[in-house]
Amino acid sequence: MKILGHRGIPVLYKENTLPSLLEPFYLGADGIETDVRLTKDNVPVLIHDDSLMNFCGVDVKVRDLSLAELKRYKSNGESVPTLEEFLKLAPKGKCLNIEIKEYEAAELAISMCTTLYDGGLIFSSFNHSLISELKVKYTSLRFGYLFDEGHAKLSDEEIFSLFEQNTYSAHLPVVGLSYFPERFLKIIKELKRRNVKIVVWTVNDRKDIEKIWGYVDYIITDDVRLFL
């Protein structure tokens, strides 16, 4: 089982800042999960939300700012990092789970990651159409489908159909185990039978996944120290 820091280690540093993203490696984690979207001048940057409200309390869209303008906004002295900045600092041989937040960011993120990073890469997204498109185009790369409450209405058959070819991983919310325990376990068992890697997010207590511990390949957590 591999342990990935959720946007780094947000219990210690502001999420998705360089200190947050790099600290899990120093602590011995297997990797991190982070989010990529684009600035107005099409630079891939690492931030979860589409605005800066959560980052620094300013209600301005990332997509409406050039990189130079974005860098003027700080949270505890830290600016939103570019994907390139992070990739050049990330230790080699680790696992980076890159969540693609915008369709337009996909190609640039993939190109930059495969060019600059020497290690494991998983590209995931809640946009299932995007992942379906990318996994056909880039057959040698690892892609995963992200699921949340918005996908609860999908039938089991619809979920399984996504994994019929060239899909590395399924990224499932740990809260699903509380709401739909029997279905959650059924889906995991079937995906494992198909050799799909199981990624569970965001796990912040060992007890949350006791029932499925043996099925999980990756844990995404706000505090990697809980599992190391």
Side-chain angles (χ1 to χ4, degrees):
M1 182 186 299
K2 295 186 182 297
I3 309 303
L4 308 182
H6 182 230
R7 309 173 195 168
I9 186 165
V11 296
L12 296 181
Y13 301 100
K14 187 67 176 182
E15 66 178 40
N16 280 329
T17 58
L18 288 177
S20 182
L21 292 169
L22 295 173
E23 184 67 16
F25 298 116
Y26 305 143
L27 293 170
D30 298 292
I32 58 92
E33 179 271 350
T34 188
D35 312 277
V36 64
R37 56 176 72 249
L38 298 179
T39 60
K40 184 170 65 175
D41 45 352
N42 292 321
V43 178
V45 292
L46 304 182
I47 185 169
H48 178 269
D49 299 337
D50 65 351
S51 85
L52 296 180
M53 182 59 73
N54 179 55
F55 181 72
C56 62
V58 179
D59 190 14
V60 59
K61 300 292 186 182
V62 175
R63 207 61 171 92
D64 292 337
L65 300 172
S66 67
L67 178 62
E69 292 168 334
L70 177 63
K71 285 294 188 178
R72 296 174 189 156
Y73 294 92
K74 307 284 185 178
S75 176
N76 294 324
E78 295 292 334
S79 61
V80 175
T82 67
L83 175 60
E84 181 177 6
E85 286 171 339
F86 169 65
L87 292 174
K88 288 182 175 179
L89 294 173
K92 295 180 180 180
K94 296 292 187 175
C95 176
L96 308 184
N97 178 185
I98 308 296
E99 181 185 339
I100 302 169
K101 304 300 288 186
E102 300 170 331
Y103 184 93
E104 296 79 9
E107 295 286 351
L108 282 172
I110 290 172
S111 175
M112 192 169 288
C113 287
T114 54
T115 300
L116 296 179
Y117 190 65
D118 182 9
L121 294 166
I122 304 172
F123 299 97
S124 61
S125 181
F126 287 110
N127 186 335
H128 293 179
S129 296
L130 172 62
I131 293 299
S132 295
E133 177 183 321
L134 292 173
K135 71 179 187 179
V136 171
K137 184 174 182 179
Y138 299 99
T139 56
S140 64
L141 300 181
R142 296 174 172 179
F143 294 98
Y145 293 98
L146 263 162
F147 295 88
D148 63 8
E149 64 277 3
H151 301 102
K153 293 183 180 180
L154 291 176
S155 68
D156 292 357
E157 291 69 26
E158 288 174 316
I159 291 173
F160 296 143
S161 69
L162 296 170
F163 297 89
E164 290 178 352
Q165 62 175 13
N166 192 35
T167 313
Y168 180 74
S169 52
H171 301 239
L172 305 169
V174 70
V175 294
L177 189 58
S178 298
Y179 294 133
F180 314 103
E182 293 183 4
R183 186 185 186 204
F184 199 92
L185 187 57
K186 174 188 175 183
I187 290 172
I188 284 180
K189 286 182 175 179
E190 175 59 24
L191 292 177
K192 290 292 285 185
R193 189 187 70 79
R194 300 181 183 212
N195 296 316
V196 174
K197 301 296 183 183
I198 302 300
V199 184
V200 183
W201 61 273
T202 302
V203 185
N204 292 323
D205 190 326
R206 283 175 173 267
K207 294 179 181 179
D208 290 343
I209 59 167
E210 283 180 349
K211 296 179 180 178
I212 58 170
W213 189 270
Y215 298 101
V216 178
D217 299 288
Y218 296 82
I219 286 175
I220 295 176
T221 175
D222 288 329
D223 191 348
V224 298
R225 297 171 300 179
L226 299 174
F227 298 93
L228 296 175

